[in-house]
Amino acid sequence: METYTTDEALEHMGFGKFQVLVLVYAGMGWAVEAMEIMLLSFVGPLVREEWNVSAENESLLSSVVFAGMLIGASGWGFVSDKYGRRTGLLFSIMFTSGMGLLSALSPNYPCLLALRFLVGIGVGGGHVFTSWFLEFVPAQNRGTWMIVFSFFWTIGTVLEASLAWVVISVLSWRWLLALTALPCFVLIPFFGTTPESPRYLCAQNRTSDATLVLERIAFTNQSTLPPGVLTYHQEIKVDHSGLTSEKEDLLPVSEKECTFDNDVSSKNGGGISSLLRLLSRKLLRSTLLLWFAFFANSFAYYGIVLLTTQLSDANRSCTSGQTNVGQQENVNLYKDTFITSLAEVPGLILSAIIVDWFGRKASMWFMLFMCCVFIGPLVLQQNELLTTVLLFGARAVVMGSFTVLSLYAPEVYPTSVRSTGAGIATAIGRIGGVVCPLVAVGLLRSCHQMEAILVFELVLLFAGVACFLFPIETKGRGMD
């Protein structure tokens, strides 16, 4: 009897209307996370002014969100591996929208910090949208479609900058919090139509359910499944602990191994067992390097976002001693943020061009080193135009690097621990987001611009080296 795997079925049917619908739904969730992150750039200075908050306490507003995301990223990753991708998506969406609306009603700063921490927990599930989407995409064009998916993040950042530009000038920061939470509610009515990942169903030994999903894909795409029945296919195992040959890189990780390991995980405590597998000899090197790469990319990306809003204000304060932000300065702030948000578009285009040409690893370290080049001149105070140009270039390449890294992480791990592995790596990245405001805001407010930029340079340099040392190249390799 003929058989086929999920990878073979997806490649046979191709990327069609069904995947486009999944792309739009997952992309909206990704855009919501971007909006909640960009929100921090605008709310901090306004809250500081209204409640007379110190610069140190202002930086806590960003740090508590990333602390919540640290918990949420690993938590939602475990939920989606244990109970299904759809379950992780639903509860993270509901949690984010509910806490986002409540935070708009905060009576004081401690209450706002607590509620934004809870928003961070909900937003931490954003990586589940990535894993869920990628598990429907054929291997041969997964890199390209991940770049397209990442455009939704850019849409979210541009939309939030535009929203802040309009809302804050006529209303208040509370309205901005409330309106930013609304897109989450748009996702909930359509949740009933979202399919479960066929790869996840196979990993749970639910072959018949996976077949039904694949038949639904074939019907929507006006295509057909390969002849035979869906089954698991034993392939050579990929060792992540050392360097592998190019031939080994192109072979998929064993689906049978995924199923077996998932059954073992379910019997031995789930989350702890999954973590132990991530730290096993076969995955240890990839896991540790991914953790640092996510930390550094998060630190750099969110640092550049904060630099856009804080650098000019800090320079003005250090040279003249003025700390109040006037209406004209607010307009310039939104304009600069809007312009640098658009930088993500050429960054995504660049990564789309090189990710399937040079491969995942080379694309990442090249763009990280380029970010070092753009950030370097900011060790000294520059005029506003040159500062905006440098931050534009830095944000373009760091966005490209972050996008390729978000593609690489799900590709490295097998289905049974994919969401948990990507979730924990994302959670480690959130530590970079927690620490970053203390550097980007704290050092700048203390008039230590050179020291702040040097910290960014070192982090980016080490991140580029880490990407160079990744043991395998996943370009063209099956996800299972």
Side-chain angles (χ1 to χ4, degrees), residues 282-308:
K282 292 183 179 300
L283 295 174
L284 180 61
R285 181 173 173 181
S286 291
T287 294
L288 294 180
L289 288 173
L290 271 175
W291 286 359
F292 180 75
F294 266 96
F295 172 89
N297 273 269
S298 295
F299 186 97
Y301 177 83
Y302 299 122
I304 291 169
V305 171
L306 288 171
L307 283 176
T308 305

PDB file of all heavy atoms in Angstrom, residues 282-308:
ATOM      1  N   LYS A 282      21.378  15.671  21.519  1.00  0.00           N
ATOM      2  CA  LYS A 282      21.105  15.948  20.113  1.00  0.00           C
ATOM      3  C   LYS A 282      20.674  17.389  19.864  1.00  0.00           C
ATOM      4  O   LYS A 282      20.881  17.919  18.777  1.00  0.00           O
ATOM      5  CB  LYS A 282      20.031  14.995  19.588  1.00  0.00           C
ATOM      6  CG  LYS A 282      20.495  13.539  19.505  1.00  0.00           C
ATOM      7  CD  LYS A 282      19.412  12.670  18.902  1.00  0.00           C
ATOM      8  CE  LYS A 282      19.869  11.219  18.797  1.00  0.00           C
ATOM      9  NZ  LYS A 282      21.075  11.072  17.959  1.00  0.00           N
ATOM     10  N   LEU A 283      20.023  18.015  20.858  1.00  0.00           N
ATOM     11  CA  LEU A 283      19.474  19.351  20.656  1.00  0.00           C
ATOM     12  C   LEU A 283      20.178  20.434  21.475  1.00  0.00           C
ATOM     13  O   LEU A 283      19.875  21.624  21.299  1.00  0.00           O
ATOM     14  CB  LEU A 283      17.981  19.361  21.014  1.00  0.00           C
ATOM     15  CG  LEU A 283      17.057  18.514  20.137  1.00  0.00           C
ATOM     16  CD1 LEU A 283      15.636  18.523  20.708  1.00  0.00           C
ATOM     17  CD2 LEU A 283      17.039  19.019  18.707  1.00  0.00           C
ATOM     18  N   LEU A 284      21.101  20.048  22.363  1.00  0.00           N
ATOM     19  CA  LEU A 284      21.664  20.998  23.324  1.00  0.00           C
ATOM     20  C   LEU A 284      22.330  22.191  22.656  1.00  0.00           C
ATOM     21  O   LEU A 284      22.074  23.352  23.019  1.00  0.00           O
ATOM     22  CB  LEU A 284      22.677  20.281  24.231  1.00  0.00           C
ATOM     23  CG  LEU A 284      23.358  21.169  25.288  1.00  0.00           C
ATOM     24  CD1 LEU A 284      22.316  21.747  26.241  1.00  0.00           C
ATOM     25  CD2 LEU A 284      24.417  20.383  26.054  1.00  0.00           C
ATOM     26  N   ARG A 285      23.198  21.945  21.685  1.00  0.00           N
ATOM     27  CA  ARG A 285      23.932  23.048  21.066  1.00  0.00           C
ATOM     28  C   ARG A 285      22.989  24.022  20.367  1.00  0.00           C
ATOM     29  O   ARG A 285      23.096  25.248  20.530  1.00  0.00           O
ATOM     30  CB  ARG A 285      24.962  22.505  20.081  1.00  0.00           C
ATOM     31  CG  ARG A 285      25.783  23.600  19.409  1.00  0.00           C
ATOM     32  CD  ARG A 285      26.902  23.011  18.577  1.00  0.00           C
ATOM     33  NE  ARG A 285      27.585  24.044  17.810  1.00  0.00           N
ATOM     34  CZ  ARG A 285      28.601  23.811  16.977  1.00  0.00           C
ATOM     35  NH1 ARG A 285      29.046  22.574  16.825  1.00  0.00           N
ATOM     36  NH2 ARG A 285      29.165  24.792  16.321  1.00  0.00           N
ATOM     37  N   SER A 286      22.037  23.486  19.596  1.00  0.00           N
ATOM     38  CA  SER A 286      21.067  24.349  18.921  1.00  0.00           C
ATOM     39  C   SER A 286      20.247  25.140  19.929  1.00  0.00           C
ATOM     40  O   SER A 286      19.995  26.333  19.749  1.00  0.00           O
ATOM     41  CB  SER A 286      20.133  23.508  18.043  1.00  0.00           C
ATOM     42  OG  SER A 286      20.817  22.975  16.937  1.00  0.00           O
ATOM     43  N   THR A 287      19.840  24.478  21.008  1.00  0.00           N
ATOM     44  CA  THR A 287      18.998  25.128  22.016  1.00  0.00           C
ATOM     45  C   THR A 287      19.723  26.292  22.680  1.00  0.00           C
ATOM     46  O   THR A 287      19.185  27.404  22.780  1.00  0.00           O
ATOM     47  CB  THR A 287      18.547  24.105  23.077  1.00  0.00           C
ATOM     48  OG1 THR A 287      17.692  23.137  22.464  1.00  0.00           O
ATOM     49  CG2 THR A 287      17.795  24.790  24.205  1.00  0.00           C
ATOM     50  N   LEU A 288      20.955  26.069  23.138  1.00  0.00           N
ATOM     51  CA  LEU A 288      21.690  27.117  23.849  1.00  0.00           C
ATOM     52  C   LEU A 288      22.007  28.299  22.928  1.00  0.00           C
ATOM     53  O   LEU A 288      21.887  29.468  23.336  1.00  0.00           O
ATOM     54  CB  LEU A 288      22.973  26.548  24.447  1.00  0.00           C
ATOM     55  CG  LEU A 288      22.795  25.509  25.563  1.00  0.00           C
ATOM     56  CD1 LEU A 288      24.146  25.017  26.070  1.00  0.00           C
ATOM     57  CD2 LEU A 288      21.973  26.083  26.721  1.00  0.00           C
ATOM     58  N   LEU A 289      22.409  28.005  21.691  1.00  0.00           N
ATOM     59  CA  LEU A 289      22.703  29.094  20.755  1.00  0.00           C
ATOM     60  C   LEU A 289      21.429  29.858  20.381  1.00  0.00           C
ATOM     61  O   LEU A 289      21.451  31.084  20.240  1.00  0.00           O
ATOM     62  CB  LEU A 289      23.370  28.538  19.502  1.00  0.00           C
ATOM     63  CG  LEU A 289      24.813  28.059  19.678  1.00  0.00           C
ATOM     64  CD1 LEU A 289      25.314  27.367  18.414  1.00  0.00           C
ATOM     65  CD2 LEU A 289      25.741  29.212  20.042  1.00  0.00           C
ATOM     66  N   LEU A 290      20.305  29.129  20.239  1.00  0.00           N
ATOM     67  CA  LEU A 290      19.037  29.798  19.960  1.00  0.00           C
ATOM     68  C   LEU A 290      18.638  30.718  21.110  1.00  0.00           C
ATOM     69  O   LEU A 290      18.147  31.830  20.891  1.00  0.00           O
ATOM     70  CB  LEU A 290      17.932  28.765  19.729  1.00  0.00           C
ATOM     71  CG  LEU A 290      17.725  28.262  18.301  1.00  0.00           C
ATOM     72  CD1 LEU A 290      16.684  27.157  18.288  1.00  0.00           C
ATOM     73  CD2 LEU A 290      17.296  29.393  17.374  1.00  0.00           C
ATOM     74  N   TRP A 291      18.828  30.262  22.342  1.00  0.00           N
ATOM     75  CA  TRP A 291      18.471  31.083  23.502  1.00  0.00           C
ATOM     76  C   TRP A 291      19.236  32.404  23.478  1.00  0.00           C
ATOM     77  O   TRP A 291      18.657  33.469  23.688  1.00  0.00           O
ATOM     78  CB  TRP A 291      18.761  30.324  24.792  1.00  0.00           C
ATOM     79  CG  TRP A 291      17.769  29.227  25.084  1.00  0.00           C
ATOM     80  CD1 TRP A 291      16.681  28.892  24.322  1.00  0.00           C
ATOM     81  CD2 TRP A 291      17.786  28.325  26.183  1.00  0.00           C
ATOM     82  NE1 TRP A 291      16.017  27.834  24.899  1.00  0.00           N
ATOM     83  CE2 TRP A 291      16.662  27.464  26.038  1.00  0.00           C
ATOM     84  CE3 TRP A 291      18.626  28.149  27.272  1.00  0.00           C
ATOM     85  CZ2 TRP A 291      16.371  26.460  26.953  1.00  0.00           C
ATOM     86  CZ3 TRP A 291      18.342  27.147  28.201  1.00  0.00           C
ATOM     87  CH2 TRP A 291      17.229  26.319  28.036  1.00  0.00           C
ATOM     88  N   PHE A 292      20.536  32.330  23.217  1.00  0.00           N
ATOM     89  CA  PHE A 292      21.306  33.577  23.194  1.00  0.00           C
ATOM     90  C   PHE A 292      20.932  34.437  21.997  1.00  0.00           C
ATOM     91  O   PHE A 292      20.833  35.669  22.109  1.00  0.00           O
ATOM     92  CB  PHE A 292      22.814  33.292  23.175  1.00  0.00           C
ATOM     93  CG  PHE A 292      23.628  34.558  23.151  1.00  0.00           C
ATOM     94  CD1 PHE A 292      23.762  35.337  24.294  1.00  0.00           C
ATOM     95  CD2 PHE A 292      24.219  35.009  21.974  1.00  0.00           C
ATOM     96  CE1 PHE A 292      24.481  36.530  24.266  1.00  0.00           C
ATOM     97  CE2 PHE A 292      24.942  36.186  21.941  1.00  0.00           C
ATOM     98  CZ  PHE A 292      25.070  36.952  23.092  1.00  0.00           C
ATOM     99  N   ALA A 293      20.708  33.811  20.841  1.00  0.00           N
ATOM    100  CA  ALA A 293      20.356  34.579  19.641  1.00  0.00           C
ATOM    101  C   ALA A 293      19.035  35.316  19.839  1.00  0.00           C
ATOM    102  O   ALA A 293      18.889  36.474  19.433  1.00  0.00           O
ATOM    103  CB  ALA A 293      20.279  33.653  18.426  1.00  0.00           C
ATOM    104  N   PHE A 294      18.059  34.667  20.462  1.00  0.00           N
ATOM    105  CA  PHE A 294      16.782  35.327  20.730  1.00  0.00           C
ATOM    106  C   PHE A 294      16.957  36.458  21.739  1.00  0.00           C
ATOM    107  O   PHE A 294      16.359  37.528  21.588  1.00  0.00           O
ATOM    108  CB  PHE A 294      15.749  34.316  21.230  1.00  0.00           C
ATOM    109  CG  PHE A 294      14.889  33.747  20.138  1.00  0.00           C
ATOM    110  CD1 PHE A 294      15.202  32.536  19.547  1.00  0.00           C
ATOM    111  CD2 PHE A 294      13.765  34.431  19.705  1.00  0.00           C
ATOM    112  CE1 PHE A 294      14.412  32.005  18.534  1.00  0.00           C
ATOM    113  CE2 PHE A 294      12.969  33.920  18.697  1.00  0.00           C
ATOM    114  CZ  PHE A 294      13.293  32.708  18.104  1.00  0.00           C
ATOM    115  N   PHE A 295      17.776  36.213  22.777  1.00  0.00           N
ATOM    116  CA  PHE A 295      18.042  37.266  23.766  1.00  0.00           C
ATOM    117  C   PHE A 295      18.635  38.494  23.081  1.00  0.00           C
ATOM    118  O   PHE A 295      18.179  39.624  23.280  1.00  0.00           O
ATOM    119  CB  PHE A 295      19.001  36.744  24.833  1.00  0.00           C
ATOM    120  CG  PHE A 295      19.494  37.806  25.784  1.00  0.00           C
ATOM    121  CD1 PHE A 295      18.799  38.099  26.937  1.00  0.00           C
ATOM    122  CD2 PHE A 295      20.651  38.531  25.506  1.00  0.00           C
ATOM    123  CE1 PHE A 295      19.238  39.097  27.807  1.00  0.00           C
ATOM    124  CE2 PHE A 295      21.099  39.523  26.359  1.00  0.00           C
ATOM    125  CZ  PHE A 295      20.390  39.799  27.522  1.00  0.00           C
ATOM    126  N   ALA A 296      19.649  38.277  22.253  1.00  0.00           N
ATOM    127  CA  ALA A 296      20.359  39.388  21.619  1.00  0.00           C
ATOM    128  C   ALA A 296      19.483  40.103  20.596  1.00  0.00           C
ATOM    129  O   ALA A 296      19.475  41.336  20.517  1.00  0.00           O
ATOM    130  CB  ALA A 296      21.637  38.871  20.957  1.00  0.00           C
ATOM    131  N   ASN A 297      18.730  39.341  19.790  1.00  0.00           N
ATOM    132  CA  ASN A 297      17.864  39.967  18.793  1.00  0.00           C
ATOM    133  C   ASN A 297      16.754  40.782  19.446  1.00  0.00           C
ATOM    134  O   ASN A 297      16.422  41.875  18.983  1.00  0.00           O
ATOM    135  CB  ASN A 297      17.264  38.908  17.865  1.00  0.00           C
ATOM    136  CG  ASN A 297      18.144  38.587  16.684  1.00  0.00           C
ATOM    137  OD1 ASN A 297      18.041  39.174  15.624  1.00  0.00           O
ATOM    138  ND2 ASN A 297      19.059  37.636  16.886  1.00  0.00           N
ATOM    139  N   SER A 298      16.169  40.259  20.520  1.00  0.00           N
ATOM    140  CA  SER A 298      15.143  41.013  21.240  1.00  0.00           C
ATOM    141  C   SER A 298      15.734  42.271  21.858  1.00  0.00           C
ATOM    142  O   SER A 298      15.146  43.359  21.777  1.00  0.00           O
ATOM    143  CB  SER A 298      14.511  40.142  22.341  1.00  0.00           C
ATOM    144  OG  SER A 298      13.810  39.061  21.790  1.00  0.00           O
ATOM    145  N   PHE A 299      16.889  42.118  22.474  1.00  0.00           N
ATOM    146  CA  PHE A 299      17.567  43.259  23.085  1.00  0.00           C
ATOM    147  C   PHE A 299      17.820  44.347  22.042  1.00  0.00           C
ATOM    148  O   PHE A 299      17.529  45.531  22.268  1.00  0.00           O
ATOM    149  CB  PHE A 299      18.893  42.794  23.690  1.00  0.00           C
ATOM    150  CG  PHE A 299      19.622  43.846  24.479  1.00  0.00           C
ATOM    151  CD1 PHE A 299      19.508  43.906  25.863  1.00  0.00           C
ATOM    152  CD2 PHE A 299      20.435  44.783  23.850  1.00  0.00           C
ATOM    153  CE1 PHE A 299      20.174  44.885  26.594  1.00  0.00           C
ATOM    154  CE2 PHE A 299      21.106  45.755  24.561  1.00  0.00           C
ATOM    155  CZ  PHE A 299      20.979  45.807  25.948  1.00  0.00           C
ATOM    156  N   ALA A 300      18.322  43.942  20.874  1.00  0.00           N
ATOM    157  CA  ALA A 300      18.664  44.917  19.831  1.00  0.00           C
ATOM    158  C   ALA A 300      17.423  45.531  19.197  1.00  0.00           C
ATOM    159  O   ALA A 300      17.340  46.752  19.021  1.00  0.00           O
ATOM    160  CB  ALA A 300      19.533  44.249  18.764  1.00  0.00           C
ATOM    161  N   TYR A 301      16.432  44.687  18.852  1.00  0.00           N
ATOM    162  CA  TYR A 301      15.249  45.208  18.164  1.00  0.00           C
ATOM    163  C   TYR A 301      14.490  46.197  19.046  1.00  0.00           C
ATOM    164  O   TYR A 301      14.198  47.324  18.627  1.00  0.00           O
ATOM    165  CB  TYR A 301      14.320  44.063  17.753  1.00  0.00           C
ATOM    166  CG  TYR A 301      13.039  44.558  17.111  1.00  0.00           C
ATOM    167  CD1 TYR A 301      12.999  44.890  15.762  1.00  0.00           C
ATOM    168  CD2 TYR A 301      11.871  44.711  17.859  1.00  0.00           C
ATOM    169  CE1 TYR A 301      11.843  45.366  15.172  1.00  0.00           C
ATOM    170  CE2 TYR A 301      10.709  45.193  17.279  1.00  0.00           C
ATOM    171  CZ  TYR A 301      10.700  45.510  15.946  1.00  0.00           C
ATOM    172  OH  TYR A 301       9.546  45.998  15.374  1.00  0.00           O
ATOM    173  N   TYR A 302      14.156  45.772  20.267  1.00  0.00           N
ATOM    174  CA  TYR A 302      13.381  46.656  21.138  1.00  0.00           C
ATOM    175  C   TYR A 302      14.225  47.843  21.597  1.00  0.00           C
ATOM    176  O   TYR A 302      13.696  48.921  21.859  1.00  0.00           O
ATOM    177  CB  TYR A 302      12.829  45.876  22.325  1.00  0.00           C
ATOM    178  CG  TYR A 302      11.894  44.765  21.895  1.00  0.00           C
ATOM    179  CD1 TYR A 302      12.143  43.440  22.227  1.00  0.00           C
ATOM    180  CD2 TYR A 302      10.771  45.047  21.121  1.00  0.00           C
ATOM    181  CE1 TYR A 302      11.293  42.424  21.812  1.00  0.00           C
ATOM    182  CE2 TYR A 302       9.928  44.039  20.692  1.00  0.00           C
ATOM    183  CZ  TYR A 302      10.188  42.729  21.049  1.00  0.00           C
ATOM    184  OH  TYR A 302       9.349  41.731  20.623  1.00  0.00           O
ATOM    185  N   GLY A 303      15.536  47.647  21.657  1.00  0.00           N
ATOM    186  CA  GLY A 303      16.414  48.761  21.988  1.00  0.00           C
ATOM    187  C   GLY A 303      16.392  49.839  20.923  1.00  0.00           C
ATOM    188  O   GLY A 303      16.344  51.034  21.228  1.00  0.00           O
ATOM    189  N   ILE A 304      16.396  49.408  19.660  1.00  0.00           N
ATOM    190  CA  ILE A 304      16.354  50.375  18.556  1.00  0.00           C
ATOM    191  C   ILE A 304      15.008  51.093  18.525  1.00  0.00           C
ATOM    192  O   ILE A 304      14.931  52.298  18.261  1.00  0.00           O
ATOM    193  CB  ILE A 304      16.654  49.662  17.226  1.00  0.00           C
ATOM    194  CG1 ILE A 304      18.128  49.227  17.194  1.00  0.00           C
ATOM    195  CG2 ILE A 304      16.343  50.555  16.034  1.00  0.00           C
ATOM    196  CD1 ILE A 304      18.470  48.291  16.068  1.00  0.00           C
ATOM    197  N   VAL A 305      13.916  50.362  18.820  1.00  0.00           N
ATOM    198  CA  VAL A 305      12.597  51.002  18.903  1.00  0.00           C
ATOM    199  C   VAL A 305      12.591  52.068  19.987  1.00  0.00           C
ATOM    200  O   VAL A 305      12.102  53.190  19.794  1.00  0.00           O
ATOM    201  CB  VAL A 305      11.501  49.947  19.177  1.00  0.00           C
ATOM    202  CG1 VAL A 305      10.164  50.635  19.481  1.00  0.00           C
ATOM    203  CG2 VAL A 305      11.345  49.013  17.980  1.00  0.00           C
ATOM    204  N   LEU A 306      13.163  51.749  21.148  1.00  0.00           N
ATOM    205  CA  LEU A 306      13.202  52.705  22.249  1.00  0.00           C
ATOM    206  C   LEU A 306      14.159  53.856  21.952  1.00  0.00           C
ATOM    207  O   LEU A 306      13.901  54.993  22.338  1.00  0.00           O
ATOM    208  CB  LEU A 306      13.593  52.002  23.550  1.00  0.00           C
ATOM    209  CG  LEU A 306      12.518  51.099  24.158  1.00  0.00           C
ATOM    210  CD1 LEU A 306      13.092  50.288  25.315  1.00  0.00           C
ATOM    211  CD2 LEU A 306      11.325  51.906  24.641  1.00  0.00           C
ATOM    212  N   LEU A 307      15.271  53.554  21.281  1.00  0.00           N
ATOM    213  CA  LEU A 307      16.205  54.621  20.924  1.00  0.00           C
ATOM    214  C   LEU A 307      15.530  55.666  20.040  1.00  0.00           C
ATOM    215  O   LEU A 307      15.810  56.862  20.137  1.00  0.00           O
ATOM    216  CB  LEU A 307      17.424  54.047  20.191  1.00  0.00           C
ATOM    217  CG  LEU A 307      18.489  53.335  21.034  1.00  0.00           C
ATOM    218  CD1 LEU A 307      19.556  52.742  20.119  1.00  0.00           C
ATOM    219  CD2 LEU A 307      19.113  54.277  22.035  1.00  0.00           C
ATOM    220  N   THR A 308      14.629  55.211  19.171  1.00  0.00           N
ATOM    221  CA  THR A 308      13.933  56.138  18.283  1.00  0.00           C
ATOM    222  C   THR A 308      13.170  57.196  19.066  1.00  0.00           C
ATOM    223  O   THR A 308      13.126  58.367  18.681  1.00  0.00           O
ATOM    224  CB  THR A 308      12.959  55.362  17.373  1.00  0.00           C
ATOM    225  OG1 THR A 308      13.684  54.347  16.681  1.00  0.00           O
ATOM    226  CG2 THR A 308      12.296  56.284  16.364  1.00  0.00           C
TER     227      THR A 308
END
